[in-house]
């Protein structure tokens, strides 16, 4: 008769704290006491800010008691080292709220990656400032769609409804998949660290609403896309991922928009994956990204 299998959980621990000797030894020592098996460990010591960053993936056997004991141990470590830490059970798919305006290429790409199991998310809502019929030929696979048109007067109320939806669905990430409304300072603050935007330029170049036309007018030879955490300052948030492609004098603005779609899709998908795999830690107006 086979022994009942003890549940095994894989956790991702991310942390940051003022740098000092002994942090890694203390953490790995405590995890060893809990019979945790570390499978990945990455660290970065930011000399500029003197902050230490770390990401640890480990497996631990044992049910609920294990988790609470683990959290208690980390709380003590956190107090000892003045640590900000987050523990994520890797089997839990993060609930995600997707936002889009008229251009749906990034939304469709994310939904495809989710549907084939490449992106381990749980989409809970799609929000647009345009009506459902703008996306008439798109299948949203039963994900609730919310049409929240935004004008100068309705913006505060519509943003409040988005935050209500965020809370009611238990979402932990908002993805601006070409959502072309500037979020208010209050909205950006409420979603701080939980909202990723795809900007269709290689930031810091060509901020704002029409970057491809700006790029064409400037005559650049490379175009790009940037995924960043959203802050109150438009297109200024901590960058998670960027990519570029070479273009030529022969490319029209429409050519740039076409070539840009592919860059936007892959940059946003990559940034979302890094975020949900807890590979990103915000470091002031920058990020630490522990890439695979
Ligand atoms: N607080 C923030 N909100 C948003 C950000 C951000 O970085 N911080 N990024 C944008 C996305 N974006 C570029 O990536 C962007 C979106 C919209 C505009 C803009 O000027 N919009 C006009 C209206 C345009 C329209 O209705 O089509 C406006 O809001 O007046 C610039 C850049 C998402 N939000």
């Amino acid at each position: 008769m086979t022994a009942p299998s003890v549940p095994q959980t894989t956790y991702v621990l991310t942390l940051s704290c003022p740098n000092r000797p002994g942090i890694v030894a203390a953490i790995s020592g405590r995890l060893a006491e809990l019979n945790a098996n570390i499978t990945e460990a990455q660290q970065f010591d930011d000399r500029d800010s003197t902050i230490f960053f770390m990401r640890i993936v480990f497996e631990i056997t044992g049910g609920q008691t294990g988790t609470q004991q683990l959290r208690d141990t980390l709380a003590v470590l956190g107090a000892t080292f003045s640590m900000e830490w987050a523990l994520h059970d890797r089997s839990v798919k993060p609930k995600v709220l997707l936002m889009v305006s008229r251009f749906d290429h990034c939304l469709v790409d994310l939904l495809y990656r989710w549907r084939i199991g490449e992106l381990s998310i749980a989409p809970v809502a799609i929000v647009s400032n345009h009506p459902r019929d703008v996306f008439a030929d798109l299948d949203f696979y039963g994900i609730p769609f919310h049409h929240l048109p935004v004008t100068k007067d309705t913006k505060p109320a519509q943003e409040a409804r988005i935050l209500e939806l965020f809370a009611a669905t238990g979402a932990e990430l908002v993805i601006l998949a070409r959502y072309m409304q500037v979020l208010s300072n209050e909205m950006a603050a409420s979603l701080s660290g939980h909202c990723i935007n795809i900007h269709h330029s290689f930031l810091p170049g060509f901020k704002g609403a029409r970057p491809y036309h700006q790029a064409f007018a400037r005559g650049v030879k490379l175009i790009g896309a940037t995924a960043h955490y959203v802050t109150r300052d438009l297109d200024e948030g901590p960058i998670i991922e960027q990519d570029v492609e070479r273009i030529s004098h022969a490319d029209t603005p429409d050519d740039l928009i076409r070539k840009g779609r592919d860059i936007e899709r892959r940059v946003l998908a990559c940034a979302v994956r890094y975020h949900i795999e807890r590979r990103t830690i915000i470091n002031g107006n920058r990020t630490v990204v522990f890439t695979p």
Side-chain angles (χ1 to χ4, degrees):
M1 191 165 85
T2 56
S5 63
V6 178
Q8 178 172 292
T9 307
T10 302
Y11 292 98
V12 183
L13 171 64
T14 49
L15 61 96
S16 61
C17 63
N19 191 38
R20 53 177 262 192
I23 301 170
V24 176
I27 295 166
S28 53
R30 297 291 175 290
L31 290 176
E33 287 165 8
L34 295 169
N35 291 322
N37 171 37
I38 294 176
T39 58
E40 292 174 45
Q42 295 166 281
Q43 62 189 76
F44 169 63
D45 169 12
D46 183 350
R47 303 289 177 161
D48 179 58
S49 64
T50 69
I51 297 177
F52 175 81
F53 299 85
M54 194 168 191
R55 176 181 184 267
I56 304 173
V57 181
F58 59 93
E59 298 158 346
I60 210 167
T61 57
Q64 236 0 73
T65 50
T67 305
Q68 193 49 51
Q69 191 181 7
L70 175 58
R71 288 189 177 281
D72 295 345
T73 298
L74 292 169
V76 173
L77 278 168
T80 306
F81 290 95
S82 307
M83 205 184 275
E84 289 187 22
W85 59 276
L87 184 68
H88 170 66
D89 175 341
R90 210 157 64 173
S91 67
V92 176
K93 292 183 177 177
K95 292 176 178 172
V96 171
L97 196 156
L98 298 151
M99 300 185 66
V100 63
S101 287
R102 194 168 287 284
F103 300 115
D104 58 24
H105 54 284
C106 289
L107 173 67
V108 169
D109 180 75
L110 291 174
L111 291 175
Y112 176 77
R113 293 176 195 259
W114 159 65
R115 222 163 45 73
I116 66 170
E118 178 189 314
L119 210 53
S120 183
I121 57 173
V124 291
I126 296 170
V127 170
S128 178
N129 55 319
H130 295 286
R132 179 70 177 86
D133 55 17
V134 167
F135 315 98
D137 58 352
L138 289 186
D139 188 342
F140 289 161
Y141 311 100
I143 303 164
F145 176 84
H146 304 265
H147 173 211
L148 299 176
V150 174
T151 65
K152 192 168 181 326
D153 301 331
T154 66
K155 188 169 179 174
Q158 299 298 52
E159 288 195 341
R161 291 180 68 185
I162 294 166
L163 289 176
E164 284 160 15
L165 197 56
F166 185 76
T169 57
E172 55 183 275
L173 179 64
V174 173
I175 302 173
L176 305 184
R178 290 297 300 270
Y179 180 73
M180 298 309 289
Q181 294 297 315
V182 178
L183 306 186
S184 67
N185 296 350
E186 299 73 23
M187 184 77 164
S190 300
L191 295 173
S192 178
H194 297 276
C195 186
I196 293 173
N197 176 58
I198 183 67
H199 181 71
H200 37 316
S201 85
F202 187 66
L203 290 174
F206 310 131
K207 296 173 183 159
R210 292 164 65 82
Y212 293 122
H213 291 79
Q214 296 178 56
F216 175 80
R218 181 68 186 81
V220 295
K221 302 306 178 191
L222 291 168
I223 57 166
T226 303
H228 62 91
Y229 288 109
V230 166
T231 61
R232 57 187 288 159
D233 307 313
L234 191 57
D235 304 328
E236 294 282 350
I239 292 170
I240 306 168
E241 178 69 354
Q242 296 183 286
D243 200 357
V244 296
E245 257 191 45
R246 187 163 291 284
I247 59 155
S248 84
H249 58 275
D251 286 310
T252 65
D254 285 346
D255 292 326
L256 303 187
I257 292 168
R258 172 176 50 77
K259 292 180 177 184
R261 277 195 289 270
D262 290 333
I263 313 171
E264 293 167 41
R265 279 188 277 253
R266 64 176 182 263
V267 166
L268 180 58
C270 181
V272 170
R273 189 178 307 110
Y274 286 166
H275 178 87
I276 64 175
E277 292 178 356
R278 273 56 185 179
R279 293 182 180 280
T280 62
I281 306 176
I282 293 175
N283 178 18
N285 72 331
R286 299 176 290 152
T287 62
V288 174
V289 181
F290 292 120
T291 53

